[in-house]
Amino acid sequence: SYVLTQPPSVSVAPGKTASITCEGNDIGGEGVHWYQHKPGQAPVLVMYNHGDRPSGIPERFSGSYSGNTAALSITRVEVGDEADYYCQVWDSSIDRAVFGGGTKLTVL
Amino acid sequence: EVQLLESGGSLVQPGGSLRLSCAASGFTFSSYAMNWVRQAPGKGLEWVSGISGFGGNTYYADSVKGRFTISRDNSKNLLYLQINSLRAEDTALYFCAKDFTIVTPSAFDVWGQGTMVTVSS
């Protein structure tokens, strides 16, 4: 089955840029979606189809991909961005949704 | 305002059954696929099941296929998850999530707060 690999953790200083990666075979051919999940809250979709931003999500959030790696970038990181971030695709070959293992973003 | 409210979670013995519900409001329910996603304590998100807008297509993770059944009542704006033969590893917070699309699940743009299922003797 399709596997998405994320780094367990990423640390960044306030005001800097954070990049969270998601690796998967031929990931460019899939629509990669990204979620922000804070403790005790519902997950929030922050990016869909690689680089489309839902309404209400700040322009500081952007998405891209190259080869087998997709990435979520957050510029001018704020303390409020601290959360777990998950990438996700729909594997149409077996009709299953797949999540990456999640990346804990720590704002130092 | 688009809202999803899950209910039905509880403490259940191994082998038991449970039905989770998700009440939707603020959007045309039948126009969107819906999903269940769970998070075990200390673990990441795991997609469990999805259903098309009119209910004709259902999808399941391998870990729950044959034990879980997803359904919906579009006249009542309700999504369900029937869970049978519960195992300790099914212990998790179960989220209801609205999809972008009507037929095949894609991205989940609205989530509920979740309902907790605990499987223990």
Side-chain angles (χ1 to χ4, degrees):
Chain A
S1 61
Y2 200 76
V3 176
L4 295 174
T5 302
Q6 299 182 236
S9 63
V10 167
S11 299
V12 64
K16 300 298 185 181
T17 297
S19 181
I20 300 171
T21 58
C22 175
E23 188 174 338
N25 187 40
D26 192 28
I27 201 169
E30 311 287 347
V32 176
H33 319 299
W34 291 91
Y35 303 88
Q36 176 192 70
H37 191 200
K38 298 180 180 180
Q41 299 185 21
V44 174
L45 179 70
V46 294
M47 199 67 53
Y48 65 97
N49 292 341
H50 289 298
D52 292 329
R53 201 170 40 247
S55 61
I57 301 302
E59 292 183 6
R60 301 185 296 107
F61 289 77
S62 63
S64 63
Y65 72 93
S66 176
N68 290 330
T69 302
L72 176 72
S73 295
I74 310 171
T75 60
R76 302 184 302 282
V77 167
E78 303 173 356
V79 173
D81 297 330
E82 195 165 270
D84 293 324
Y85 289 84
Y86 297 87
C87 59
Q88 175 252 318
V89 302
W90 177 259
D91 185 349
S92 56
S93 67
I94 56 170
D95 281 344
R96 305 281 189 275
V98 179
F99 281 97
T103 298
K104 182 176 181 60
L105 177 67
T106 300
V107 181
L108 301 170
Chain B
E1 181 187 3
V2 177
Q3 283 191 326
L4 298 172
L5 183 62
E6 304 93 336
S7 61
S10 68
L11 172 62
V12 187
Q13 291 189 341
S17 297
L18 209 55
R19 188 175 82 159
L20 307 183
S21 300
C22 171
S25 60
F27 64 101
T28 305
F29 185 63
S30 60
S31 292
Y32 297 94
M34 296 293 295
N35 299 270
W36 288 98
V37 178
R38 68 184 180 184
Q39 185 176 36
K43 302 295 185 181
L45 299 177
E46 179 190 16
W47 175 82
V48 172
S49 184
I51 186 169
S52 59
F54 291 105
N57 299 88
T58 57
Y59 311 89
Y60 297 96
D62 289 343
S63 58
V64 306
K65 196 167 187 178
R67 298 188 299 122
F68 290 18
T69 302
I70 191 171
S71 62
R72 63 192 296 162
D73 185 338
N74 287 345
S75 68
K76 298 180 180 178
N77 288 357
L78 287 170
L79 175 72
Y80 302 106
L81 187 68
Q82 178 67 41
I83 308 175
N84 298 329
S85 304
L86 276 159
R87 307 167 179 168
E89 54 264 35
D90 295 320
T91 294
L93 184 63
Y94 284 73
F95 295 100
C96 166
K98 171 186 169 292
D99 206 278
F100 257 178
T101 66
I102 186 171
V103 179
T104 305
S106 174
F108 314 143
D109 61 344
V110 180
W111 297 62
Q113 292 292 327
T115 186
M116 187 68 199
V117 174
T118 303
V119 184
S120 175
S121 54

